[in-house]
Amino acid sequence: MTHHTTDSVLKDAVIQIGSGGSAGFIEVCIMHPMDIVKTRFQLQVKSTKSDPLYYTGVRDCMTKIYKTEGLPAYWKGILPPIIVETPKRAVKFFTFEQYKQFFLFGASAPTALTFSCAGFFAGVTEALLVNPFEVVKITLQSNRKHIRETPSTYTVTREIISKYGFGPSGLYRGLTATIMRNAVFNSFYFGFYHSVKGYIPPEQDPWLEFLYKFAIGFVSGTVGSCLNIPFDVAKSRIQGPQGNVQYKGALQTMHMIYSKEGFRALYKGLVPKVLRLGPGGAIMLVVYDYMHAFLMTKFKA
């Protein structure tokens, strides 16, 4: 009996990890260009308006990147997310399922609070795993040289480690901001998606079912992005190239941005972020749901 239960738990874990990994891989390949646009906006400060490479909007940014850096530049810094995204999303969905059991609070079925708490802590766990890759990614994305002159992922990683090490000045720079960004996002993302999905009656038409799930996932990703963007801006500033201004803690950075550049600066890169995480969030949840269902029939039947 114990062997059977252990076997079942292991199968569940493999299915959750496999589904989450597939969801992350597909989402990052499709949506990465929006991520680089978001990062460029977040690193841009008022004083650079005279710069010919100052970006005025998403289209302007994409055009300038294409003209000065080449088409593959839209995928600058994609290797760290590809390497980390599959295990990261696997960890995110897997830990969400585990935390969900923990936060049932004695109830027979999970509530909106269960989903939100589980999402929050899944975000914290995800941030601890992903932070070093984020530091490398932001360093690569901040480089405005043509793709042929851009250093490789390996070179950038080696340089960060040799100069700053693994600690809070090196690969774990901006950890608090990453934790808050991921925790706030996942708390709403999972909380909203699973709560609303539970109220919608099962749809016979598979196409309509897909559209419903995609729409809820889109809203989850979009609102989650609006809620966590100040932490995301702070994270980009802390992890990006430091000029005359030294950004350190998440709250200190947010305060500095607010006092020097105004409230709106805390929402820099919101449009590309929403364009990335609205559809990206939907893609991830839908791929996870369908992949999970497919693997369940394959391995649990």
Side-chain angles (χ1 to χ4, degrees), residues 9-19 94 295 299:
V9 168
L10 276 173
K11 268 188 182 174
D12 280 344
V14 169
I15 288 168
Q16 287 159 11
I17 288 167
S19 309
F94 174 67
L295 293 174
F299 296 110

Side-chain angles (χ1 to χ4, degrees), residues 157-230:
T157 310
R158 202 178 56 186
E159 193 181 329
I160 292 168
I161 294 169
S162 65
K163 274 190 186 173
Y164 307 105
F166 290 90
S169 301
L171 288 177
Y172 272 90
R173 188 161 75 234
L175 179 61
T176 317
T178 308
I179 286 174
M180 287 314 298
R181 179 193 75 155
N182 288 29
V184 168
F185 179 84
N186 285 320
S187 180
F188 183 84
Y189 182 66
F190 283 116
F192 184 83
Y193 181 76
H194 288 286
S195 302
V196 174
K197 197 178 75 164
Y199 286 110
I200 293 173
E203 183 53 60
Q204 296 307 309
D205 183 342
W207 180 238
L208 265 180
E209 173 99 356
F210 167 79
L211 284 177
Y212 282 147
K213 284 183 175 177
F214 193 89
I216 305 163
F218 185 87
V219 173
S220 304
T222 302
V223 179
S225 299
C226 296
L227 293 173
N228 83 338
I229 186 125

Side-chain angles (χ1 to χ4, degrees), residues 40-299:
R40 292 290 175 89
F41 275 115
Q42 291 177 345
L43 293 172
Q44 190 162 264
V45 290
K46 278 182 177 174
S47 58
T48 56
K49 275 194 175 170
S50 56
D51 185 342
L53 289 179
Y54 186 85
Y55 310 118
T56 56
V58 173
R59 191 175 166 189
D60 177 60
C61 181
M62 293 192 83
T63 308
K64 283 174 178 168
I65 289 173
Y66 176 72
K67 283 182 179 170
T68 57
E69 301 166 51
L71 182 67
Y74 292 141
W75 284 272
K76 265 186 184 179
I78 196 172
L79 197 58
I82 287 272
I83 294 166
V84 76
E85 210 66 28
T86 308
K88 167 185 157 182
R89 300 305 188 198
V91 164
K92 173 187 177 120
F93 282 97
F94 174 67
T95 54
F96 170 72
E97 295 294 344
Q98 309 320 304
Y99 285 126
K100 198 168 78 180
Q101 299 306 314
F102 181 77
F103 287 110
L104 275 172
F105 301 118
S108 55
T111 62
L113 181 64
T114 306
F115 294 130
S116 291
C117 290
F120 187 92
F121 284 96
V124 173
T125 312
E126 181 189 35
L128 294 168
L129 171 77
V130 81
N131 201 82
F133 296 90
E134 286 286 321
V135 172
V136 175
K137 184 193 79 170
I138 297 289
T139 309
L140 283 161
Q141 289 183 337
S142 64
N143 188 311
R144 290 180 170 203
K145 290 177 180 168
H146 194 278
I147 194 78
R148 285 192 295 268
E149 299 162 38
T150 306
S152 70
T153 303
Y154 175 73
T155 308
V156 167
T157 310
R158 202 178 56 186
E159 193 181 329
I160 292 168
I161 294 169
S162 65
K163 274 190 186 173
Y164 307 105
F166 290 90
S169 301
L171 288 177
Y172 272 90
R173 188 161 75 234
L175 179 61
T176 317
T178 308
I179 286 174
M180 287 314 298
R181 179 193 75 155
N182 288 29
V184 168
F185 179 84
N186 285 320
S187 180
F188 183 84
Y189 182 66
F190 283 116
F192 184 83
Y193 181 76
H194 288 286
S195 302
V196 174
K197 197 178 75 164
Y199 286 110
I200 293 173
E203 183 53 60
Q204 296 307 309
D205 183 342
W207 180 238
L208 265 180
E209 173 99 356
F210 167 79
L211 284 177
Y212 282 147
K213 284 183 175 177
F214 193 89
I216 305 163
F218 185 87
V219 173
S220 304
T222 302
V223 179
S225 299
C226 296
L227 293 173
N228 83 338
I229 186 125
F231 294 107
D232 199 14
V233 173
K235 185 191 82 71
S236 290
R237 292 288 178 93
I238 296 165
Q239 293 175 346
Q242 301 271 5
N244 302 329
V245 185
Q246 291 296 303
Y247 300 110
K248 289 189 175 73
L251 295 176
Q252 176 249 20
T253 300
M254 284 161 70
H255 182 259
M256 281 172 76
I257 294 167
Y258 171 72
S259 51
K260 288 189 175 177
E261 299 168 54
F263 182 73
R264 286 181 65 183
L266 290 169
Y267 288 82
K268 278 187 174 180
L270 180 61
V271 174
K273 184 176 166 72
V274 164
L275 289 174
R276 153 108 204 252
L277 283 168
I283 289 166
M284 231 169 359
L285 287 166
V286 171
V287 170
Y288 179 83
D289 268 4
Y290 284 101
M291 197 67 177
H292 192 271
F294 169 74
L295 293 174
M296 284 292 272
T297 54
K298 203 92 176 146
F299 296 110

